[in-house]
């Protein structure tokens, strides 16, 4: 199984950690970001229970300047 | 010289009459929420956060758009903090989405990230025109309204499509004046006027604004507001252009409410004909009277 990818980059050693841990490892603030796992939004209330598995596609987004 | 005011007393200001008093403007309301400014600023294209701050302040805007993108290596940056500090409402957009499915995911992520169910829905057909894909747009707007979003729909200058979006439950429709970033102004003023006359939700002119007169015209055509991004962020002096657009929106709104005169083909004198003074008849021999 391929490793999970985070924002398009393969990331080793994430299997089994929670979304909350992933966000913390990336040094991201809790506010102003959102996380999708395999194209589905992971609500903030589930960050501490949903885990990253092999092959997952994780996207972490925020606000950028845009029209 | 005579005066009716006693010496040493300033003459009283004339009492306002119904004909001269300015009527207060209606509030600008979207989905039951009042916005203090009819100018919405897009943040895309700004060269720095400092420049953006200057433009936001000068524009007097109360709402600004942001795009949703993957977090970069430097973290989220200071955009949200800046808007928060200035008390400006965040309006996330779905810029860059080409399908309804992409727009849905982006809107859901935005709601989660920014705690707002307001979204400017854009579904773009291709990168050369950045024109809305009408079919995907209707699908996305309908689904997002069903999910409880307050949808502001970026759309073509097509009165029928605008009506369809209103029927789908959009809180505002945002027809383009011209393609995004072109600064070509309002290419089809007749269609924009048709949209504003047939739609009861707020119509916000979006895209194509190049300079102040474009924003003024939008308001004169009956738009409830204007969204400008590139016109400000790519101007040589963004803060000055932001101020100019704010003044133009204000002037255009007042003009729309004031009721312009009908257009005529031939001149109509505004000075009375009666009482004109005419010269003596010319002297015999056809000499010129000086």
């Amino acid at each position: 199984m391929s490793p999970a990818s985070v924002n398009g980059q393969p990331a080793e050693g994430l299997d089994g950690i929670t979304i909350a841990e992933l966000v913390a490892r990336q040094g991201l603030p809790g506010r102003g970001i959102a996380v999708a796992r395999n194209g589905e939004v992971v609500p903030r209330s589930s960050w501490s229970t949903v885990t990253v598995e092999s092959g997952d596609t994780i996207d972490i987004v925020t606000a950028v300047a845009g029209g | 010289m005579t005066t009716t005011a006693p010496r040493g007393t300033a003459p009283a200001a004339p009492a306002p009459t119904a004909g001269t008093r300015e009527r207060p403007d209606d509030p600008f309301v979207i989905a039951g929420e009042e916005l203090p400014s009819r100018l919405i600023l897009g943040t895309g294209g700004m060269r720095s956060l400092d420049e953006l701050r200057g433009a936001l302040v000068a524009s007097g805007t109360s709402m600004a758009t942001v795009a949703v993108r993957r977090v970069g290596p430097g973290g989220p940056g200071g955009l949200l903090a800046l808007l928060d500090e200035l008390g400006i409402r965040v309006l996330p957009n779905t810029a860059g989405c080409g399908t309804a499915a992409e727009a849905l995911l982006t809107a859901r992520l935005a709601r989660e990230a920014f705690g707002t169910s307001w979204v400017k829905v854009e579904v773009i057909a291709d990168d050369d025109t950045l024109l809305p894909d009408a079919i995907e747009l209707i699908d996305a707007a309908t689904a997002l309204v069903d999910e409880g979003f307050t949808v502001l729909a970026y759309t073509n200058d097509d009165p029928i499509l605008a009506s369809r979006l209103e029927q789908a439950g959009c809180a505002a429709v945002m027809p383009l004046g011209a393609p995004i970033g072109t600064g070509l102004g309002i290419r089809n003023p007749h269609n924009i006027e048709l949209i504003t006359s047939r739609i009861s939700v707020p119509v916000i002119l979006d895209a194509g604004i190049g300079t102040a007169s474009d924003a003024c015209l939008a308001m004169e055509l009956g738009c409830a507001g204007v969204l400008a991004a590139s016109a400000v962020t790519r101007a040589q002096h963004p803060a000055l252009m932001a101020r100019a657009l704010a003044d133009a929106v204000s002037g255009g709104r007042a003009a729309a409410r004031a009721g312009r005169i009908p257009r005529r083909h031939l001149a109509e004198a505004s000075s009375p004909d009666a009482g004109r003074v005419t010269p003596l008849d010319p002297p015999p021999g056809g000499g010129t009277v000086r």
Side-chain angles (χ1 to χ4, degrees):
Chain A
M1 197 70 179
S2 56
S5 78
V6 177
N7 284 351
Q9 300 294 320
E12 302 281 355
L14 298 181
D15 291 8
I17 73 167
T18 65
I19 299 295
E21 286 167 332
L22 174 65
V23 167
R25 277 198 205 180
Q26 306 264 329
L28 295 170
R31 283 186 70 237
I33 64 167
V35 180
R37 175 174 174 263
N38 301 327
E40 300 283 338
V41 177
V42 182
R44 200 167 300 264
S45 56
S46 305
W47 280 8
S48 56
T49 52
V50 173
T51 54
V52 181
E53 305 300 337
S54 290
D56 276 358
T57 298
I58 307 288
D59 287 299
I60 308 175
V61 300
T62 188
V64 300
Chain B
M1 181 186 158
T2 59
T3 175
T4 54
R7 186 175 287 276
T9 307
T17 66
T20 59
R21 194 184 298 129
E22 285 186 32
R23 293 184 300 144
D25 195 1
D26 301 328
F28 178 35
V29 176
I30 298 175
E33 293 196 40
E34 184 173 340
L35 297 170
S37 168
R38 292 179 180 274
L39 177 61
I40 301 168
L41 222 58
T43 58
M46 194 60 81
R47 290 171 285 248
S48 74
L49 271 186
D50 269 354
E51 209 166 57
L52 179 60
R53 172 193 293 272
L56 288 166
V57 171
S59 74
T61 192
S62 45
M63 186 159 74
T65 62
V66 301
V68 179
R69 292 291 181 272
R70 287 169 169 171
V71 179
L79 179 59
L80 285 176
L82 175 62
L83 295 175
D84 195 39
E85 176 198 330
L86 297 176
I88 294 173
R89 181 180 192 122
V90 173
L91 177 62
N93 67 28
T94 63
C97 293
T99 65
E102 289 173 14
L104 259 59
L105 175 59
T106 303
R108 291 171 187 148
L109 284 166
R111 178 161 63 180
E112 183 68 20
F114 316 131
T116 175
S117 60
W118 287 33
V119 63
K120 177 186 156 187
V121 175
E122 298 179 44
V123 191
I124 298 306
D126 68 64
D127 289 340
D128 289 332
T129 65
L130 298 179
L131 287 171
D133 181 319
I135 293 167
E136 296 291 329
L137 172 62
I138 287 282
D139 284 353
T142 304
L144 288 170
V145 168
D146 283 349
E147 288 187 28
F149 283 88
T150 296
V151 175
L152 294 78
Y154 171 63
T155 180
N156 294 294
D157 57 358
D158 174 351
I160 309 308
L161 180 55
S163 290
R164 290 288 193 151
L165 289 164
E166 181 181 34
Q167 288 161 17
C170 291
V173 295
M174 309 180 78
L176 55 81
I180 292 168
T182 60
L184 287 172
I186 299 176
R187 304 313 303 167
N188 196 336
H190 177 67
N191 269 20
I192 298 298
E193 200 163 33
L194 268 178
I195 293 171
T196 62
S197 65
R198 292 156 58 107
I199 295 282
S200 43
V201 296
V203 176
I204 300 164
L205 198 287
D206 187 0
I209 299 287
T211 188
S213 52
D214 301 327
C216 189
L217 176 59
M219 300 306 289
E220 290 177 21
L221 293 172
C223 290
V226 166
L227 190 153
S230 305
V232 170
T233 61
R234 296 191 168 123
Q236 288 186 34
H237 301 288
L240 190 54
M241 185 58 83
R243 171 64 193 277
L245 293 190
D247 287 348
V249 165
S250 175
R253 174 68 182 168
R257 296 173 57 240
R260 60 152 299 144
I261 61 169
R263 289 178 173 83
R264 301 168 52 91
H265 284 294
L266 294 176
E268 182 186 36
S270 57
S271 304
D273 199 45
R276 279 195 305 129
V277 178
T278 53
L280 296 175
D281 289 339
T288 307
V289 176
R290 293 191 179 273

